[in-house]
Amino acid sequence: MAADNGFTPDFSELGRGEWLTALKGLGEEHGFAEPLGKRHAGIFIEDGDTLLVSFETMSGIEALSATRTPMGFDMVRDHGWSSLSVLSHGDTWFRDPRVFGFFDQLLDDGFFDEFERVIFFGTGPCGYAAAAYSVAAPGARALLLQPQATLDPRVTEWDDRFTDMRREDFTSRYGFAPDMIDAAEKVWVLYDPYERLDAMHSALFERGNVDRYRMPFFGGALQTDLRLMDILPKLLLEVADGTLDAARFAAHMRARRDHPPYLRKLLARTDASQRDKLSLMLCRHVTARMNAPRFRRRLAQLEAQKARR
């Protein structure tokens, strides 16, 4: 049920320039819009006493949101939360003195003290930022999807995905993300254990106030899958209430049984490992419940192979 606040922005028909102007105007109307240099911006929408601080890339918003609006706007519209969207042009890990200063100012102004609950959220590079900047709001909670801990090569030289970012400073202020969550009340980290580098970063977040939940065979785009399964808002609500635990998370993950992208990845995994019996069981299970041409074709191949033996 949508919150009764009339907040229903839809920027899906706007070009990039018009979109940025509209986003800035909406922030100025409902809270504030703060440019943070050439590559970052902060958009605040004030409503309820729960604040979602989301870190997102502009290209990610365009790809994932039907209305081309930040994740926090969904929570404003549907649940009456307030939203602080910190946006970037590209993957910057938000390592920018202007962003440092922005959070310094919010801390000095007591901005986060105005809210009953503060939730930080981000994925990958944005998950790194959500963890790193959560230190500005002691007692906050955070939901992090496959976050990086740092790109400092002295710590994570094994991660060869982002070598162009090694020149950036990950050792100064708001630097090593796992240390920055020490002041958080609770942090949840979601990752696919079969994505080796994501799993290694996840291990660096092991702390007493952290729960780490595995999402095997989902791959490297967890936010996309969670949004398609309509699970992400539910997770955020339970993070806000402090009720997200292993049992609830497992119950949410039952939705993967009807999620074709996950099922295709699972079939690719069983095929790659030449576990034909498992592939056969999977194909039979899927074709019995849904129209799945790829699984039907693979089932015919597997049954033909079995008959020849």
Side-chain angles (χ1 to χ4, degrees), residues 185-214:
E185 178 183 344
K186 188 74 176 180
V187 177
W188 290 262
V189 175
L190 277 52
Y191 68 102
D192 182 339
Y194 293 99
E195 294 290 319
R196 184 175 61 87
L197 298 178
D198 286 347
M200 292 168 72
H201 278 283
S202 169
L204 295 175
F205 283 90
E206 185 64 31
R207 296 287 193 278
N209 61 341
V210 177
D211 283 349
R212 296 166 55 232
Y213 294 151
R214 296 154 48 98

mmCIF file of all heavy atoms in Angstrom, residues 185-214:
data_model
loop_
_atom_site.group_PDB
_atom_site.id
_atom_site.type_symbol
_atom_site.label_atom_id
_atom_site.label_comp_id
_atom_site.label_asym_id
_atom_site.label_seq_id
_atom_site.Cartn_x
_atom_site.Cartn_y
_atom_site.Cartn_z
ATOM 1 N N GLU A 185 24.682 0.001 14.589
ATOM 2 C CA GLU A 185 23.981 -0.921 15.475
ATOM 3 C C GLU A 185 23.983 -2.334 14.898
ATOM 4 O O GLU A 185 24.236 -3.313 15.608
ATOM 5 C CB GLU A 185 22.538 -0.462 15.688
ATOM 6 C CG GLU A 185 21.732 -1.403 16.566
ATOM 7 C CD GLU A 185 20.282 -0.974 16.701
ATOM 8 O OE1 GLU A 185 19.955 0.181 16.382
ATOM 9 O OE2 GLU A 185 19.467 -1.819 17.126
ATOM 10 N N LYS A 186 23.705 -2.428 13.575
ATOM 11 C CA LYS A 186 23.629 -3.734 12.933
ATOM 12 C C LYS A 186 23.877 -3.565 11.445
ATOM 13 O O LYS A 186 23.445 -2.585 10.834
ATOM 14 C CB LYS A 186 22.245 -4.353 13.156
ATOM 15 C CG LYS A 186 22.113 -5.788 12.689
ATOM 16 C CD LYS A 186 22.824 -6.753 13.622
ATOM 17 C CE LYS A 186 22.598 -8.203 13.204
ATOM 18 N NZ LYS A 186 23.284 -9.156 14.096
ATOM 19 N N VAL A 187 24.561 -4.540 10.860
ATOM 20 C CA VAL A 187 24.864 -4.520 9.431
ATOM 21 C C VAL A 187 24.571 -5.903 8.856
ATOM 22 O O VAL A 187 24.906 -6.925 9.463
ATOM 23 C CB VAL A 187 26.348 -4.148 9.176
ATOM 24 C CG1 VAL A 187 26.662 -4.207 7.689
ATOM 25 C CG2 VAL A 187 26.658 -2.772 9.747
ATOM 26 N N TRP A 188 23.940 -5.914 7.694
ATOM 27 C CA TRP A 188 23.672 -7.153 6.975
ATOM 28 C C TRP A 188 24.425 -7.106 5.656
ATOM 29 O O TRP A 188 24.290 -6.140 4.882
ATOM 30 C CB TRP A 188 22.182 -7.322 6.703
ATOM 31 C CG TRP A 188 21.351 -7.593 7.923
ATOM 32 C CD1 TRP A 188 20.912 -8.802 8.375
ATOM 33 C CD2 TRP A 188 20.817 -6.624 8.848
ATOM 34 N NE1 TRP A 188 20.157 -8.658 9.517
ATOM 35 C CE2 TRP A 188 20.079 -7.319 9.832
ATOM 36 C CE3 TRP A 188 20.903 -5.220 8.946
ATOM 37 C CZ2 TRP A 188 19.428 -6.681 10.877
ATOM 38 C CZ3 TRP A 188 20.257 -4.577 9.988
ATOM 39 C CH2 TRP A 188 19.537 -5.302 10.947
ATOM 40 N N VAL A 189 25.209 -8.135 5.372
ATOM 41 C CA VAL A 189 25.985 -8.235 4.131
ATOM 42 C C VAL A 189 25.485 -9.439 3.354
ATOM 43 O O VAL A 189 25.482 -10.562 3.864
ATOM 44 C CB VAL A 189 27.489 -8.377 4.421
ATOM 45 C CG1 VAL A 189 28.271 -8.608 3.127
ATOM 46 C CG2 VAL A 189 28.019 -7.141 5.151
ATOM 47 N N LEU A 190 25.075 -9.212 2.106
ATOM 48 C CA LEU A 190 24.600 -10.284 1.236
ATOM 49 C C LEU A 190 25.609 -10.492 0.113
ATOM 50 O O LEU A 190 26.101 -9.520 -0.466
ATOM 51 C CB LEU A 190 23.233 -9.927 0.632
ATOM 52 C CG LEU A 190 21.982 -10.187 1.478
ATOM 53 C CD1 LEU A 190 22.079 -9.581 2.869
ATOM 54 C CD2 LEU A 190 20.736 -9.663 0.753
ATOM 55 N N TYR A 191 25.885 -11.762 -0.205
ATOM 56 C CA TYR A 191 26.892 -12.051 -1.233
ATOM 57 C C TYR A 191 26.680 -13.457 -1.773
ATOM 58 O O TYR A 191 26.036 -14.301 -1.135
ATOM 59 C CB TYR A 191 28.301 -11.937 -0.649
ATOM 60 C CG TYR A 191 28.628 -13.010 0.362
ATOM 61 C CD1 TYR A 191 29.420 -14.106 0.005
ATOM 62 C CD2 TYR A 191 28.133 -12.951 1.664
ATOM 63 C CE1 TYR A 191 29.705 -15.110 0.924
ATOM 64 C CE2 TYR A 191 28.414 -13.942 2.586
ATOM 65 C CZ TYR A 191 29.197 -15.022 2.220
ATOM 66 O OH TYR A 191 29.468 -16.016 3.128
ATOM 67 N N ASP A 192 27.204 -13.690 -2.966
ATOM 68 C CA ASP A 192 27.196 -15.023 -3.564
ATOM 69 C C ASP A 192 28.549 -15.671 -3.258
ATOM 70 O O ASP A 192 29.590 -15.184 -3.720
ATOM 71 C CB ASP A 192 26.983 -14.919 -5.078
ATOM 72 C CG ASP A 192 26.907 -16.280 -5.760
ATOM 73 O OD1 ASP A 192 27.392 -17.278 -5.195
ATOM 74 O OD2 ASP A 192 26.363 -16.339 -6.886
ATOM 75 N N PRO A 193 28.571 -16.764 -2.507
ATOM 76 C CA PRO A 193 29.852 -17.373 -2.137
ATOM 77 C C PRO A 193 30.619 -17.933 -3.325
ATOM 78 O O PRO A 193 31.825 -18.179 -3.218
ATOM 79 C CB PRO A 193 29.440 -18.492 -1.170
ATOM 80 C CG PRO A 193 28.025 -18.794 -1.529
ATOM 81 C CD PRO A 193 27.426 -17.493 -1.946
ATOM 82 N N TYR A 194 29.937 -18.133 -4.466
ATOM 83 C CA TYR A 194 30.610 -18.652 -5.650
ATOM 84 C C TYR A 194 31.214 -17.538 -6.513
ATOM 85 O O TYR A 194 31.912 -17.836 -7.487
ATOM 86 C CB TYR A 194 29.660 -19.522 -6.470
ATOM 87 C CG TYR A 194 29.283 -20.778 -5.737
ATOM 88 C CD1 TYR A 194 28.075 -20.875 -5.052
ATOM 89 C CD2 TYR A 194 30.151 -21.866 -5.692
ATOM 90 C CE1 TYR A 194 27.739 -22.027 -4.346
ATOM 91 C CE2 TYR A 194 29.824 -23.013 -4.995
ATOM 92 C CZ TYR A 194 28.614 -23.093 -4.328
ATOM 93 O OH TYR A 194 28.288 -24.234 -3.621
ATOM 94 N N GLU A 195 30.917 -16.282 -6.163
ATOM 95 C CA GLU A 195 31.629 -15.152 -6.754
ATOM 96 C C GLU A 195 32.843 -14.905 -5.861
ATOM 97 O O GLU A 195 32.750 -14.220 -4.844
ATOM 98 C CB GLU A 195 30.726 -13.925 -6.829
ATOM 99 C CG GLU A 195 29.557 -14.070 -7.777
ATOM 100 C CD GLU A 195 29.992 -14.091 -9.233
ATOM 101 O OE1 GLU A 195 30.883 -13.301 -9.611
ATOM 102 O OE2 GLU A 195 29.434 -14.905 -9.990
ATOM 103 N N ARG A 196 33.958 -15.497 -6.222
ATOM 104 C CA ARG A 196 35.109 -15.620 -5.306
ATOM 105 C C ARG A 196 35.566 -14.280 -4.743
ATOM 106 O O ARG A 196 35.792 -14.145 -3.529
ATOM 107 C CB ARG A 196 36.275 -16.304 -6.023
ATOM 108 C CG ARG A 196 37.495 -16.566 -5.148
ATOM 109 C CD ARG A 196 38.550 -17.343 -5.908
ATOM 110 N NE ARG A 196 39.024 -16.612 -7.071
ATOM 111 C CZ ARG A 196 40.032 -15.727 -7.027
ATOM 112 N NH1 ARG A 196 40.661 -15.504 -5.888
ATOM 113 N NH2 ARG A 196 40.419 -15.088 -8.105
ATOM 114 N N LEU A 197 35.709 -13.271 -5.580
ATOM 115 C CA LEU A 197 36.218 -11.980 -5.105
ATOM 116 C C LEU A 197 35.201 -11.284 -4.204
ATOM 117 O O LEU A 197 35.565 -10.669 -3.193
ATOM 118 C CB LEU A 197 36.607 -11.102 -6.292
ATOM 119 C CG LEU A 197 37.720 -11.673 -7.171
ATOM 120 C CD1 LEU A 197 38.001 -10.759 -8.352
ATOM 121 C CD2 LEU A 197 38.996 -11.896 -6.364
ATOM 122 N N ASP A 198 33.916 -11.375 -4.547
ATOM 123 C CA ASP A 198 32.884 -10.814 -3.675
ATOM 124 C C ASP A 198 32.904 -11.503 -2.314
ATOM 125 O O ASP A 198 32.742 -10.854 -1.268
ATOM 126 C CB ASP A 198 31.503 -10.973 -4.302
ATOM 127 C CG ASP A 198 31.254 -10.018 -5.458
ATOM 128 O OD1 ASP A 198 32.050 -9.066 -5.621
ATOM 129 O OD2 ASP A 198 30.270 -10.213 -6.196
ATOM 130 N N ALA A 199 33.082 -12.818 -2.315
ATOM 131 C CA ALA A 199 33.107 -13.561 -1.063
ATOM 132 C C ALA A 199 34.313 -13.179 -0.213
ATOM 133 O O ALA A 199 34.225 -13.089 1.023
ATOM 134 C CB ALA A 199 33.110 -15.062 -1.344
ATOM 135 N N MET A 200 35.445 -12.928 -0.859
ATOM 136 C CA MET A 200 36.642 -12.531 -0.114
ATOM 137 C C MET A 200 36.460 -11.151 0.519
ATOM 138 O O MET A 200 36.850 -10.928 1.677
ATOM 139 C CB MET A 200 37.851 -12.561 -1.044
ATOM 140 C CG MET A 200 38.227 -13.977 -1.484
ATOM 141 S SD MET A 200 39.423 -14.050 -2.829
ATOM 142 C CE MET A 200 40.927 -13.543 -1.981
ATOM 143 N N HIS A 201 35.865 -10.228 -0.214
ATOM 144 C CA HIS A 201 35.560 -8.922 0.379
ATOM 145 C C HIS A 201 34.574 -9.076 1.537
ATOM 146 O O HIS A 201 34.740 -8.449 2.596
ATOM 147 C CB HIS A 201 34.961 -7.985 -0.672
ATOM 148 C CG HIS A 201 35.973 -7.304 -1.533
ATOM 149 N ND1 HIS A 201 36.717 -6.220 -1.094
ATOM 150 C CD2 HIS A 201 36.348 -7.532 -2.813
ATOM 151 C CE1 HIS A 201 37.513 -5.818 -2.073
ATOM 152 N NE2 HIS A 201 37.315 -6.597 -3.124
ATOM 153 N N SER A 202 33.574 -9.921 1.348
ATOM 154 C CA SER A 202 32.582 -10.129 2.397
ATOM 155 C C SER A 202 33.228 -10.602 3.690
ATOM 156 O O SER A 202 32.848 -10.171 4.791
ATOM 157 C CB SER A 202 31.544 -11.153 1.926
ATOM 158 O OG SER A 202 30.723 -11.577 2.982
ATOM 159 N N ALA A 203 34.221 -11.476 3.577
ATOM 160 C CA ALA A 203 34.884 -12.001 4.773
ATOM 161 C C ALA A 203 35.562 -10.899 5.576
ATOM 162 O O ALA A 203 35.682 -10.999 6.804
ATOM 163 C CB ALA A 203 35.901 -13.067 4.371
ATOM 164 N N LEU A 204 35.997 -9.834 4.898
ATOM 165 C CA LEU A 204 36.645 -8.730 5.599
ATOM 166 C C LEU A 204 35.669 -7.941 6.453
ATOM 167 O O LEU A 204 36.089 -7.158 7.316
ATOM 168 C CB LEU A 204 37.329 -7.800 4.590
ATOM 169 C CG LEU A 204 38.499 -8.411 3.813
ATOM 170 C CD1 LEU A 204 39.016 -7.435 2.769
ATOM 171 C CD2 LEU A 204 39.628 -8.814 4.759
ATOM 172 N N PHE A 205 34.366 -8.118 6.219
ATOM 173 C CA PHE A 205 33.349 -7.411 7.015
ATOM 174 C C PHE A 205 32.924 -8.195 8.243
ATOM 175 O O PHE A 205 32.015 -7.770 8.952
ATOM 176 C CB PHE A 205 32.110 -7.129 6.147
ATOM 177 C CG PHE A 205 32.266 -5.984 5.191
ATOM 178 C CD1 PHE A 205 32.754 -6.200 3.909
ATOM 179 C CD2 PHE A 205 31.938 -4.690 5.572
ATOM 180 C CE1 PHE A 205 32.908 -5.146 3.016
ATOM 181 C CE2 PHE A 205 32.080 -3.641 4.697
ATOM 182 C CZ PHE A 205 32.561 -3.846 3.411
ATOM 183 N N GLU A 206 33.546 -9.333 8.497
ATOM 184 C CA GLU A 206 33.149 -10.140 9.654
ATOM 185 C C GLU A 206 33.386 -9.353 10.939
ATOM 186 O O GLU A 206 34.519 -9.014 11.292
ATOM 187 C CB GLU A 206 33.934 -11.451 9.674
ATOM 188 C CG GLU A 206 33.511 -12.401 10.775
ATOM 189 C CD GLU A 206 32.084 -12.880 10.625
ATOM 190 O OE1 GLU A 206 31.595 -12.990 9.471
ATOM 191 O OE2 GLU A 206 31.456 -13.151 11.662
ATOM 192 N N ARG A 207 32.311 -9.041 11.624
ATOM 193 C CA ARG A 207 32.345 -8.278 12.861
ATOM 194 C C ARG A 207 31.234 -8.777 13.775
ATOM 195 O O ARG A 207 30.310 -9.461 13.336
ATOM 196 C CB ARG A 207 32.129 -6.772 12.612
ATOM 197 C CG ARG A 207 33.200 -6.069 11.779
ATOM 198 C CD ARG A 207 34.489 -5.899 12.582
ATOM 199 N NE ARG A 207 35.414 -4.965 11.940
ATOM 200 C CZ ARG A 207 36.243 -5.273 10.945
ATOM 201 N NH1 ARG A 207 36.219 -6.497 10.441
ATOM 202 N NH2 ARG A 207 37.074 -4.375 10.448
ATOM 203 N N GLY A 208 31.273 -8.392 15.035
ATOM 204 C CA GLY A 208 30.237 -8.809 15.969
ATOM 205 C C GLY A 208 28.867 -8.254 15.654
ATOM 206 O O GLY A 208 27.849 -8.850 16.038
ATOM 207 N N ASN A 209 28.815 -7.114 14.980
ATOM 208 C CA ASN A 209 27.526 -6.497 14.654
ATOM 209 C C ASN A 209 27.091 -6.761 13.213
ATOM 210 O O ASN A 209 26.224 -6.067 12.681
ATOM 211 C CB ASN A 209 27.581 -4.988 14.900
ATOM 212 C CG ASN A 209 28.620 -4.281 14.040
ATOM 213 O OD1 ASN A 209 29.539 -4.916 13.505
ATOM 214 N ND2 ASN A 209 28.494 -2.963 13.908
ATOM 215 N N VAL A 210 27.699 -7.758 12.571
ATOM 216 C CA VAL A 210 27.424 -8.052 11.162
ATOM 217 C C VAL A 210 26.846 -9.455 11.000
ATOM 218 O O VAL A 210 27.371 -10.420 11.565
ATOM 219 C CB VAL A 210 28.711 -7.934 10.314
ATOM 220 C CG1 VAL A 210 28.437 -8.325 8.860
ATOM 221 C CG2 VAL A 210 29.270 -6.521 10.382
ATOM 222 N N ASP A 211 25.755 -9.548 10.232
ATOM 223 C CA ASP A 211 25.243 -10.834 9.773
ATOM 224 C C ASP A 211 25.524 -10.931 8.281
ATOM 225 O O ASP A 211 25.188 -10.020 7.513
ATOM 226 C CB ASP A 211 23.732 -10.947 10.007
ATOM 227 C CG ASP A 211 23.395 -11.244 11.458
ATOM 228 O OD1 ASP A 211 24.308 -11.567 12.243
ATOM 229 O OD2 ASP A 211 22.204 -11.129 11.815
ATOM 230 N N ARG A 212 26.129 -12.040 7.866
ATOM 231 C CA ARG A 212 26.452 -12.265 6.451
ATOM 232 C C ARG A 212 25.589 -13.402 5.926
ATOM 233 O O ARG A 212 25.609 -14.501 6.474
ATOM 234 C CB ARG A 212 27.938 -12.582 6.279
ATOM 235 C CG ARG A 212 28.842 -11.434 6.685
ATOM 236 C CD ARG A 212 30.301 -11.854 6.848
ATOM 237 N NE ARG A 212 30.811 -12.499 5.667
ATOM 238 C CZ ARG A 212 31.423 -13.691 5.669
ATOM 239 N NH1 ARG A 212 31.590 -14.355 6.806
ATOM 240 N NH2 ARG A 212 31.864 -14.215 4.550
ATOM 241 N N TYR A 213 24.824 -13.107 4.870
ATOM 242 C CA TYR A 213 23.912 -14.095 4.305
ATOM 243 C C TYR A 213 24.343 -14.432 2.879
ATOM 244 O O TYR A 213 24.617 -13.550 2.074
ATOM 245 C CB TYR A 213 22.471 -13.576 4.306
ATOM 246 C CG TYR A 213 21.897 -13.380 5.691
ATOM 247 C CD1 TYR A 213 20.930 -12.409 5.930
ATOM 248 C CD2 TYR A 213 22.302 -14.172 6.762
ATOM 249 C CE1 TYR A 213 20.388 -12.227 7.184
ATOM 250 C CE2 TYR A 213 21.773 -13.993 8.025
ATOM 251 C CZ TYR A 213 20.812 -13.017 8.234
ATOM 252 O OH TYR A 213 20.293 -12.841 9.489
ATOM 253 N N ARG A 214 24.352 -15.718 2.598
ATOM 254 C CA ARG A 214 24.804 -16.224 1.300
ATOM 255 C C ARG A 214 23.638 -16.267 0.307
ATOM 256 O O ARG A 214 22.512 -16.619 0.668
ATOM 257 C CB ARG A 214 25.373 -17.632 1.467
ATOM 258 C CG ARG A 214 26.621 -17.699 2.326
ATOM 259 C CD ARG A 214 26.808 -19.057 2.982
ATOM 260 N NE ARG A 214 26.643 -20.173 2.065
ATOM 261 C CZ ARG A 214 27.630 -20.828 1.472
ATOM 262 N NH1 ARG A 214 28.892 -20.474 1.713
ATOM 263 N NH2 ARG A 214 27.398 -21.835 0.673
#
